[in-house]
Amino acid sequence: MQLPVLNNSASFSHPNPPPAGEGANEAQGATSKSSGCSAGSCGSTDDQMGHLPEHIRQKVFNHPCYSEEAHHYFARMHVAVAPACNIQCNYCNRKYDCANESRPGVVSELHHPVQAVKKVLAVAATIPQMTVLGIAGPGDPLANPERTFETFRMLSEQAPDIKLCVSTNGLSLPDQVEELAKYNIDHVTITINCVDADVGAQIYPWIFWKNKRIKGREGAAILIEQQQKGLEMLVAKGILVKVNSVMIPGVNDQHLAEVSKIVKAKGAFLHNVMPLISEAEHGTYYGLTGQRGPTHDELQALQDACSGDMNMMRHCRQCRADAVGLLGEDRGSEFTMDKIEEMDINYPEAMKMRAEVHAAINEELESKRLAKEAKVQLVSIQGIQKKEVTRPVLMAVATKGGGVINEHFGHASEFLIYEASSEGVRFIGHRKTTPYCEGGDTCGDGESALDKTLKVLAGCEAVLCSKVGYEPWGPLEAAGIQPNGEHAMEAIEEAVLKVYDEMRVVGKLEAKLDEQQKVA
Ligand code: CLF
Ligand code: SF4
């Protein structure tokens, strides 16, 4: 069947769904065995999922956050039904969405559970690739149990083909684990920034616990205990747990590798280390006191350090609490309540269409995977396996999804960053920018949109896109970033590997290596 498009140009697909079952403990341990960055794409689902028991693959194959590969093809949506919070984080201003799972400084439109369910059915019927509904704010979902569980209850009855997902600070998690299990919620995120109350006291000024406000170290100690207890209880129930941690330089950056070890030992499935975003205009404690966030290099170094212990998520976009669409895009404006009220949704019919789309996606992805394996082996045999040069190279990729290079340089609002080396290709993360074609002459402080993109791409030696105009070509080259529009519609990792091999053949890698050695 012809696949519908998720956004303007990409088509989508997914891997084989296996049968469901219990026993996440076993799988969560097994997952971490493949972490680290050996040959091939360590961030890709091929690696992450190849060794997983079938019942765990069933839970993650189409979850865009739990599977790096799935995020190219599948969408998620959030409904903002949970306004209250029971703790205070120093990176949060209550005017905005919960920064534990959302981009700081964003305000989402709050919905009543009945409205939220209507919205989910409308989105699922319109975007069949939307597989996951998450509740992640604008406050803490489990500090608003009635609204959160009412939404989950209605959805589990009316839309059983949608996975349900929730994110929490963990304070009231142990009391809610039974309720979460009741609605077949397979995915829970806990934000764990520390396992040491002295570190916690620098992040959480207070918590609200048993009708009292408890400050400083004492409050942090209770929060940590509840988070760890909640994690253990979820794992015991076979629920997959993702741990989010906000990296705060000078506060918990040295401590997060230990957090990673501990949560892995307890059976967490995935660790997502997110950068602190602390703009002064957001009015948070950290923003106002000048606490900086990490650089791209610092974040990557910490993620690499943690990846020795467990599977790392590197594709998080810090979504808003009412996000709709692929990670990195926001189609919320297509689904405002007035538009939804006018839609006539027959969800049982929509479910049939969704199942067909998912089956077609499954087939497409399977054939892509086989083709990719064959081609990557060929390229390896032809060149890289000779190990003439091992210097790794960062490349930026412009994509709208579908796992292919299909975005114009000037339209990209973010770039995916890949590292190519003699070991293969691995996904490193994403970097946001202002689209060059929409940015006008300046985007603040006299900086042009192109200047901003050049800064964002610092460290990359090539940018792969479907097209790149004449105007940015020169400045990109002058900045040491080779524009490349020759691999439009090709699979990303394959194209990155080809460009890397081309660099090797013309001696670019050697030259750079020599320069590096001279400097050393
Ligand atoms: Fe939403 Fe979170 Fe579920 Fe995903 S988001 S509740 S696990 S469905 Fe995903 Fe968005 Fe990152 Fe969250 S990219 S902020 S990790
Ligand atoms: Fe803000 Fe979320 Fe922290 Fe609550 S848990 S204070 S909403 S960042």
Side-chain angles (χ1 to χ4, degrees):
M1 99 182 254
Q2 183 66 37
L3 296 180
V5 293
L6 188 54
N7 58 17
N8 291 339
S9 72
S11 71
F12 297 88
S13 44
H14 83 69
N16 252 344
E22 287 302 315
N25 248 339
E26 166 209 347
Q28 298 193 8
T31 304
S32 55
K33 283 181 199 149
S34 78
S35 59
C37 303
S38 56
S41 46
C42 80
S44 85
T45 312
D46 290 353
D47 274 358
Q48 288 179 338
M49 289 182 45
H51 60 288
L52 289 179
E54 288 296 278
H55 61 281
I56 300 297
R57 290 190 70 204
Q58 170 69 20
K59 292 181 180 179
V60 299
F61 76 91
N62 63 355
H63 194 307
C65 304
Y66 281 68
S67 154
E68 195 272 312
E69 186 178 48
H71 102 279
H72 295 294
Y73 307 96
F74 291 99
R76 54 72 188 103
M77 72 174 287
H78 289 165
V79 283
V81 293
C85 191
N86 47 9
I87 68 172
Q88 178 64 55
C89 306
N90 277 334
Y91 46 74
C92 180
N93 177 346
R94 298 305 179 80
K95 278 197 325 209
Y96 303 115
D97 289 355
C98 175
N100 280 343
E101 182 83 348
S102 317
R103 196 163 187 83
V106 168
V107 185
S108 292
E109 188 192 355
L110 190 67
H111 287 315
H112 182 273
V114 172
Q115 287 178 315
V117 169
K118 258 191 182 170
K119 183 172 176 178
V120 175
L121 299 184
V123 172
T126 313
I127 308 178
Q129 296 88 349
M130 192 283 279
T131 47
V132 180
L133 176 275
I135 301 184
D140 186 75
L142 299 187
N144 301 260
E146 294 83 11
R147 295 173 65 100
T148 296
F149 288 117
E150 179 64 359
T151 309
F152 283 146
R153 184 188 61 73
M154 287 189 278
L155 280 172
S156 63
E157 287 167 8
Q158 295 177 42
D161 64 334
I162 297 177
K163 287 185 195 301
L164 303 176
C165 191
V166 68
S167 165
T168 177
N169 62 40
L171 183 62
S172 58
L173 179 57
D175 299 335
Q176 318 275 4
V177 169
E178 285 301 324
E179 197 71 6
L180 286 165
K182 231 194 244 175
Y183 302 111
N184 268 338
I185 292 164
D186 275 339
H187 303 83
V188 175
T189 296
I190 316 172
T191 298
I192 300 180
N193 292 321
C194 55
V195 288
D196 175 333
D198 288 324
V199 177
Q202 299 171 61
I203 302 171
Y204 307 106
W206 56 261
I207 65 165
F208 197 71
W209 177 246
K210 299 193 171 160
N211 298 319
K212 273 201 312 212
R213 189 170 291 222
I214 300 178
K215 293 185 183 166
R217 195 183 186 286
E218 192 190 344
I222 295 168
L223 178 63
I224 290 167
E225 194 185 331
Q226 290 292 98
Q227 290 171 338
Q228 296 298 318
K229 193 169 158 195
L231 167 60
E232 289 162 20
M233 290 171 74
L234 289 169
V235 170
K237 286 261 177 213
I239 295 173
L240 295 189
V241 182
K242 170 165 76 64
V243 169
N244 280 1
S245 299
V246 180
M247 179 183 181
I248 311 161
V251 175
N252 70 349
D253 52 338
Q254 302 296 318
H255 176 60
L256 284 178
E258 188 189 347
V259 171
S260 214
K261 257 193 198 118
I262 289 171
V263 299
K264 180 216 166 180
K266 293 194 175 177
F269 181 80
L270 196 60
H271 193 189
N272 175 22
V273 177
M274 308 186 298
L276 172 73
I277 298 174
S278 56
E279 309 300 332
E281 62 267 29
H282 296 162
T284 63
Y285 173 80
Y286 282 153
L288 296 172
T289 54
Q291 170 65 53
R292 73 171 179 94
T295 63
H296 292 307
D297 287 350
E298 287 170 339
L299 181 66
Q300 190 190 324
L302 179 58
Q303 288 174 335
D304 286 349
C306 293
S307 73
D309 289 310
M310 72 182 298
N311 253 344
M312 300 302 293
M313 177 180 188
R314 296 174 194 254
H315 59 283
C316 176
R317 302 298 202 279
Q318 293 173 278
C319 320
R320 43 190 295 157
D322 60 1
V324 174
L326 281 178
L327 304 191
E329 73 173 3
D330 195 358
R331 296 180 59 180
S333 60
E334 294 170 41
F335 300 96
T336 52
M337 272 334 278
D338 52 327
K339 289 180 185 158
I340 288 165
E341 294 299 348
E342 284 170 15
M343 293 182 186
D344 185 17
I345 305 297
N346 177 342
Y347 200 70
E349 276 306 310
M351 260 202 298
K352 286 186 206 156
M353 177 271 288
R354 286 167 56 79
E356 282 176 28
V357 169
H358 291 185
I361 286 172
N362 188 12
E363 226 172 85
E364 182 187 312
L365 198 60
E366 199 50 37
S367 63
K368 269 188 185 173
R369 178 177 294 130
L370 293 173
K372 184 173 102 181
E373 270 174 24
K375 283 186 185 164
V376 167
Q377 274 173 10
L378 188 66
V379 175
S380 270
I381 290 162
Q382 285 175 340
I384 289 164
Q385 223 175 32
K386 293 179 190 165
K387 293 198 185 295
E388 291 167 13
V389 178
T390 57
R391 181 178 72 83
V393 168
L394 290 185
M395 297 187 205
V397 170
T399 177
K400 296 186 215 191
V404 295
I405 297 167
N406 56 3
E407 181 66 292
H408 191 298
F409 174 79
H411 299 162
S413 56
E414 67 170 21
F415 292 90
L416 302 191
I417 309 298
Y418 286 80
E419 183 189 75
S421 71
S422 54
E423 300 291 307
V425 179
R426 66 175 182 137
F427 174 69
I428 296 287
H430 74 284
R431 299 184 190 171
K432 287 193 183 296
T433 188
T434 302
Y436 164 65
C437 292
E438 294 163 22
D441 287 342
T442 65
C443 47
D445 298 331
E447 185 184 52
S448 73
L450 182 57
D451 290 339
K452 184 175 175 188
T453 299
L454 292 175
K455 261 192 209 164
V456 160
L457 298 183
C460 297
E461 294 179 44
V463 57
L464 281 56
C465 38
S466 61
K467 244 183 177 182
V468 53
Y470 177 74
E471 207 180 323
W473 195 281
L476 278 165
E477 277 191 329
I481 305 162
Q482 185 60 48
N484 187 321
E486 289 165 22
H487 297 278
M489 297 313 293
E490 287 184 24
I492 295 172
E493 292 180 11
E494 243 175 65
V496 168
L497 206 52
K498 279 187 200 165
V499 173
Y500 185 70
D501 202 41
E502 284 159 17
M503 290 174 78
R504 179 191 66 80
V505 169
V506 299
K508 280 194 180 169
L509 303 177
E510 285 167 29
K512 193 89 174 207
L513 195 66
D514 289 347
E515 275 167 32
Q516 283 176 348
Q517 281 165 347
K518 268 183 224 157
V519 173

